[in-house]
Amino acid sequence: MHHRHTFPPPKPPALLRCLPAAPWPLARLLLCWLLAGWLGALGPAPALAQEQSTKSSMDQTGKDNTPLPQVDELRKQLDAIPRKLDEADSNRQLLDEINAVGTAAERLANHRTTELAELDLRLAGLGPAPAKGTPAEAPDVAAQRASLNKQRTDIDAELKLARLIAVDAEQRGADLVRQRRLQFQAALTTHADSPLSPSFWRTLRQAAPGDFARLQVLGADLLGAARAALDSKHRNAFQGYLLLALLLAVAGTWLAERILVRVLPSRLPTGRLRRSLLAMAAIVANVLIIGTAMQFAWSALKLGGPLPDNLLALQQATVRAAAYAAFVVTLGHGLLSRRRSSWRLLPISDDLARRLSPLPWWTATLSALGAVVTDVNAIIGASLAAEVLVHAVFALLLSFSVAVALGRLHATPDGAAAGDEAAHGRPDSEASRPLWVGLILAGAGVAVVLTVAAVAFGFIALAGTLARQMVWSGVVFATTYLLFQLADDLSQALLSSKGRVGARIHNTLGISAQLLDQSAVVLSGLLRVLLFFYMVIALMAPLGTNPDELFRRGSNVDHNLKVGDLTLAPQALLTALAVVCAGFVAIRIGKHWLSERYFPHTSLEPGMRSSIVTLLGYVGGVVVIAVALAGLGISVERIAWVASALSVGIGFGLQAIVQNFISGLILLAERPVKVGDWVVLGDTEGDVRRVNVRATEIQLGDRSTVIVPNSEFITKTVRNMTLGSAQGRVLLRLPAPLDTDARRMRALILQAFHAHEDILENPAPSVTLEGVQSGTLTFLAIGYVSSPRNAAGVRSDVLFAILDALREAGLALSPPATTSVAQAQRDTTPEPPLSAPA
């Protein structure tokens, strides 16, 4: 038998107790439900196991019918939990214990509430108690009433105590979170010996023999377990487990990738969904395979007998690190796809993908190895000098890998980039890079510099936190990008009218294609918002932050600036600034989403789209400013008083602006003028290009733009040529001598109208004799065109044709009467003059 050294349950070393956990929570959250069934090492977390045990022991209606805990037991459990968080205490474990007690108290209170309601119903069935001076009720009824009242009193008292315990547990949990935050802040500012100083290496040299001896104990246990498995009757099984683990880790991943590439594309719908689903399937498959391989390796060691506690802890650390490394490597492979550019999710060139392909391997290897070494230090109880060295080394290595990646991002050869852009349409130049990508890269560069500086000056805890958070943020951003793509692709594949599922819904249920497209865009937007929320939560995971802590408001700054009745705290100023920045960014994103993604799938006209987007932008700006002022402590009532004081000045000084604003709202509501209309307003005639809240833009025939205040459209007469119909009218008044053959001239004019290809047949052109005045006949000719924008050109062509036809027929117009007839018609009728089309 091998030597077995037993250790107490390992506690994190002093420096590590306030450092962030290893960066694998997201991979575990996504895949633990797949691994939990057969990866014993990744079994339910202590909190989950305790909660499940609590459920089974507290739920009276459970399968084992165990009784509910007593209030006194819950109070003893809560009082046994320390109120102050010591350095050796695990914050997560204490919070799990407190939450378990609070959950049990709430369930007990709910159960007692149900029992109390049942007793009230039974008492109501007995009827009201007899009043004084009335005959007493039957003895059995009186005894039953007394028993029920006694039970009700006891249950009500227990209910109140249970609720009090639940409230106390919640308050205790909040207090522990506050203490944990203070400890974490103190740990970040802890100063150790710098690796550049001789004292650092002197302390490490002194602690090295003890650390090496502890490490030898762990190695001896590991070798002893291997010898015990080899010396036992399970020798063949031991070798088989190890061989199977090796085959799964090497050949399994290779085979899984080729199976997915050959099988999935033929079974998945065409389009972008193939890429995102293939990447997600590859991540799940590789994590399962690597996790299974590690589990087989440890199962081989268990053949010789149960493992000691230190090896069980090492098993959990290695399995988690392997699963995390597989997750990161496969995620990077799916995003970059160096060999298959058509499956690449990131819009980058082949050359850039090739140069970035080693980055996922570096990140996964360094992060997983650093996590395992950190856990080994915790298992063996390594010295503080060893902890400092491990964190300093891995902080520098992670910073170096990120710096190399940033350098490769900025070192794109112009020729290769241009060739790849032309070939694949994937620009990766600085000009085409989104703003948020530039901000992330800039933040990574700053974090690299700060990490190296922190290590150099001896702030190892701060350096380790920055390095871990930097790598973890990159993994979270990459995972969120993949999930964003998957959400968009799933929404389009399931609801879009262009997909097979959407087409079947359209044909089967009769839902319009436009409504399906709108639903797909809305579903994609909702999923993106939900994923963004959880991305923020995941970014805070290494810092030990949960959703309640993320949105809990509070300030640790005691020095505030007080101006009159207004108190300005530094946190309040930062909060207001963050609200303004985030609010206007959200408004811009929302407006872009409406105009580019949602509105194209609606039947709204371009003018209405622009008006709605503009109006929502104004409303959103007002809301953001109001919320920011509320964050500063300026209530809505104070804002109302300020608005009332300014109303007088607005009424006089800004009267025109307010009038135009109200007129713009009326235009948006009644829509007498919209984008694309041909309007005549006084001497201005042209196309409406944009309707804003304050003014309207009209483009004239010479391509110039006139900005017309909206009040002009409300207070003046506006002629909308395309409001009722999009057709235009060509109107001609032609004077002729009194002795002209009127019928022949009418036929020639009609022939000229019919001969022009732009004159519509329905309604047909017409020529009427408008009148006889001063010895002159006046012919009124009217024809219709498809758009009033074509009326001027068509009118000119028809006039040329009429003049040629009259000259060939020997007929002539009457020049002396032209001016007088046109002037007379202009004075007596609302028709436009000869030179203007109607």
Side-chain angles (χ1 to χ4, degrees):
M1 295 295 292
H2 65 279
H3 297 284
R4 181 173 300 159
H5 301 269
T6 58
F7 288 83
K11 294 182 179 180
L15 182 64
L16 304 184
R17 280 191 281 270
C18 293
L19 287 178
W24 52 63
L26 187 59
R28 189 173 181 180
L29 286 175
L30 291 174
L31 301 165
C32 69
W33 64 275
L34 295 172
L35 299 173
W38 41 269
L39 288 182
L42 281 180
L48 182 59
Q50 185 173 1
E51 185 179 354
Q52 292 174 349
S53 174
T54 305
K55 288 183 179 179
S56 61
S57 62
M58 294 184 181
D59 194 356
Q60 192 174 14
T61 61
K63 295 182 179 180
D64 52 359
N65 294 322
T66 55
L68 289 169
Q70 300 296 322
V71 177
D72 296 338
E73 297 178 0
L74 294 177
R75 175 55 67 181
K76 290 179 181 179
Q77 294 178 12
L78 185 61
D79 293 339
I81 300 175
R83 293 181 176 273
K84 292 185 178 180
L85 188 64
D86 296 333
E87 292 186 357
D89 293 333
S90 173
N91 176 60
R92 287 295 184 188
Q93 183 178 359
L94 295 180
L95 282 179
D96 292 338
E97 295 175 1
I98 292 175
N99 292 335
V101 174
T103 302
E106 291 178 356
R107 290 179 178 173
L108 179 61
N110 293 334
H111 188 78
R112 296 301 182 229
T113 301
T114 304
E115 292 181 349
L116 198 64
E118 294 177 354
L119 288 176
D120 290 338
L121 289 177
R122 294 175 62 184
L123 287 172
L126 296 178
K132 293 184 179 181
T134 59
E137 55 187 357
D140 55 343
V141 176
Q144 186 178 5
R145 185 187 301 277
S147 176
L148 292 176
N149 283 328
K150 184 178 181 304
Q151 294 180 24
R152 190 186 188 286
T153 302
D154 295 340
I155 291 176
D156 184 63
E158 191 173 0
L159 172 63
K160 294 178 180 178
L161 291 176
R163 289 177 175 172
L164 181 61
I165 291 175
V167 173
D168 290 344
E170 182 179 0
Q171 294 177 352
R172 292 274 295 277
D175 186 61
L176 285 181
V177 169
R178 183 184 60 81
Q179 296 180 36
R180 175 70 173 89
R181 187 182 296 112
L182 293 177
Q183 285 188 2
F184 183 76
Q185 293 174 356
L188 290 183
T189 57
T190 301
H191 184 270
D193 292 334
S194 172
L196 302 178
S197 63
S199 59
F200 174 84
W201 301 102
R202 187 183 311 113
T203 304
L204 183 64
R205 191 184 313 110
Q206 294 173 357
D211 294 335
F212 185 71
R214 297 185 186 95
L215 189 60
Q216 282 183 326
V217 172
L218 181 63
D221 283 349
L222 189 60
L223 291 176
R227 292 194 185 101
L230 284 173
D231 294 341
S232 66
K233 60 182 178 180
H234 302 290
R235 179 185 183 91
N236 295 332
F238 175 80
Q239 296 175 352
Y241 272 124
L242 291 182
L243 180 60
L244 183 59
L246 183 61
L247 289 176
L248 279 177
V250 178
T253 54
W254 178 84
L255 184 61
E257 180 182 0
R258 275 139 186 86
I259 291 176
L260 290 175
V261 170
R262 293 189 177 184
V263 174
L264 282 185
S266 60
R267 300 179 181 271
L268 294 177
T270 59
R272 300 182 308 173
L273 183 60
R274 288 184 178 180
R275 295 186 305 171
S276 53
L277 276 182
L278 181 63
M280 186 61 66
I283 291 175
V284 175
N286 284 337
V287 171
L288 289 177
I289 292 173
I290 296 299
T292 305
M294 289 296 300
Q295 184 60 30
F296 277 139
W298 281 101
S299 298
L301 293 177
K302 291 181 180 179
L303 293 175
L307 298 179
D309 293 337
N310 58 343
L311 292 186
L312 291 177
L314 182 62
Q315 177 189 6
Q316 294 181 359
T318 53
V319 172
R320 286 195 306 244
Y324 166 76
F327 177 85
V328 173
V329 170
T330 314
L331 175 63
H333 178 71
L335 293 177
L336 298 175
S337 188
R338 178 174 60 89
R339 297 180 180 178
R340 298 180 179 88
S341 59
S342 60
W343 296 95
R344 187 178 304 142
L345 293 174
L346 289 177
I348 59 177
S349 65
D350 292 341
D351 179 72
L352 183 58
R354 178 183 55 80
R355 288 185 287 111
L356 291 179
S357 58
L359 178 62
W361 289 93
W362 298 344
T363 304
T365 303
L366 292 176
S367 300
L369 184 60
V372 171
V373 174
T374 301
D375 288 335
V376 169
N377 284 340
I379 291 172
I380 66 176
S383 63
L384 180 62
E387 301 170 22
V388 173
L389 177 64
V390 168
H391 281 278
V393 169
F394 281 99
L396 292 177
L397 289 177
L398 290 174
S399 300
F400 176 75
S401 64
V402 174
V404 171
L406 293 176
R408 295 192 174 190
L409 278 173
H410 292 288
T412 303
D414 297 336
D420 288 336
E421 291 172 14
H424 303 286
R426 294 176 177 268
D428 55 308
S429 61
E430 295 290 340
S432 61
R433 180 176 296 165
L435 177 61
W436 61 272
V437 175
L439 293 177
I440 292 176
L441 296 180
V446 173
V448 168
V449 175
L450 291 178
T451 301
V452 175
V455 171
F457 287 102
F459 294 94
I460 307 300
L462 179 60
T465 302
L466 288 175
R468 292 172 183 267
Q469 186 67 29
M470 178 171 51
V471 174
W472 173 244
S473 299
V475 174
V476 170
F477 286 139
T479 306
T480 306
Y481 182 84
L482 172 60
L483 294 178
F484 273 8
Q485 297 295 324
L486 182 61
D488 290 344
D489 299 341
L490 281 176
S491 302
Q492 293 296 324
L494 295 178
L495 293 179
S496 176
S497 60
K498 300 177 182 178
R500 289 188 295 181
V501 179
R504 291 181 181 179
I505 295 175
H506 173 67
N507 297 329
T508 304
L509 303 179
I511 301 177
S512 64
Q514 190 177 36
L515 181 59
L516 289 174
D517 294 337
Q518 295 176 19
S519 303
V521 175
V522 171
L523 178 61
S524 174
L526 293 177
L527 291 177
R528 279 175 171 260
V529 171
L530 185 63
L531 290 173
F532 180 80
F533 172 78
Y534 282 105
M535 182 193 73
V536 175
I537 302 302
L539 287 175
M540 299 299 172
L543 302 179
T545 303
N546 53 33
D548 295 335
E549 297 177 50
L550 184 64
F551 298 106
R552 183 180 290 112
R553 299 180 60 183
S555 174
N556 297 325
V557 181
D558 298 329
H559 302 284
N560 300 323
L561 176 62
K562 190 171 183 179
V563 180
D565 295 334
L566 180 63
T567 301
L568 297 179
Q571 184 182 7
L573 293 174
L574 294 177
T575 301
L577 181 61
V579 167
V580 171
C581 296
F584 281 105
V585 169
I587 290 172
R588 183 175 180 181
I589 294 175
K591 291 170 63 177
H592 182 269
W593 179 79
L594 283 174
S595 59
E596 301 296 334
R597 299 293 301 275
Y598 180 70
F599 282 155
H601 299 287
T602 64
S603 58
L604 295 176
E605 298 174 352
M608 179 56 68
R609 300 177 191 176
S610 176
S611 302
I612 293 177
V613 170
T614 303
L615 186 59
L616 289 180
Y618 287 136
V619 174
V622 172
V623 172
V624 167
I625 293 176
V627 173
L629 292 177
L632 291 175
I634 304 176
S635 61
V636 180
E637 291 79 6
R638 296 182 180 181
I639 299 175
W641 278 106
V642 174
S644 300
L646 293 176
S647 60
V648 177
I650 291 175
F652 289 98
L654 303 178
Q655 182 178 5
I657 296 178
V658 174
Q659 181 182 9
N660 291 324
F661 179 79
I662 300 300
S663 300
L665 297 180
I666 295 174
L667 291 178
L668 292 176
E670 296 183 356
R671 300 179 62 194
V673 175
K674 54 185 179 298
V675 174
D677 285 349
W678 181 277
V679 297
V680 179
L681 179 62
D683 296 334
T684 303
E685 181 176 357
D687 283 310
V688 177
R689 291 304 182 190
R690 187 176 181 182
V691 179
N692 297 320
V693 177
R694 188 194 64 84
T696 299
E697 300 177 6
I698 300 178
Q699 185 175 0
L700 305 182
D702 58 357
R703 300 300 179 182
S704 62
T705 301
V706 177
I707 309 298
V708 180
N710 288 331
S711 59
E712 298 288 326
F713 290 92
I714 302 300
T715 59
K716 293 185 178 181
T717 302
V718 180
R719 186 176 183 182
N720 194 333
M721 310 288 289
T722 57
L723 179 61
S725 174
Q727 297 177 355
R729 186 176 65 168
V730 177
L731 184 145
L732 298 175
R733 284 190 177 87
L734 302 174
L738 187 59
D739 58 350
T740 301
D741 186 352
R743 295 186 181 276
R744 181 167 175 74
M745 188 168 184
R746 177 178 178 273
L748 293 175
I749 296 174
L750 282 175
Q751 182 180 359
F753 270 92
H754 285 294
H756 200 284
E757 58 181 5
D758 290 337
I759 297 294
L760 301 178
E761 296 294 335
N762 186 19
S766 64
V767 178
T768 59
L769 188 59
E770 191 176 24
V772 180
Q773 187 177 5
S774 302
T776 302
L777 302 177
T778 303
F779 292 89
L780 180 63
I782 299 176
Y784 294 90
V785 292
S786 59
S787 173
R789 300 167 184 83
N790 303 331
V794 174
R795 181 176 182 273
S796 176
D797 295 340
V798 171
L799 276 176
F800 277 114
I802 291 175
L803 292 176
D804 293 340
L806 292 179
R807 187 177 298 109
E808 293 177 0
L811 300 177
L813 297 178
S814 180
T818 300
T819 304
S820 61
V821 171
Q823 184 64 38
Q825 291 297 331
R826 189 183 304 115
D827 294 339
T828 58
T829 64
E831 296 293 346
L834 182 61
S835 59

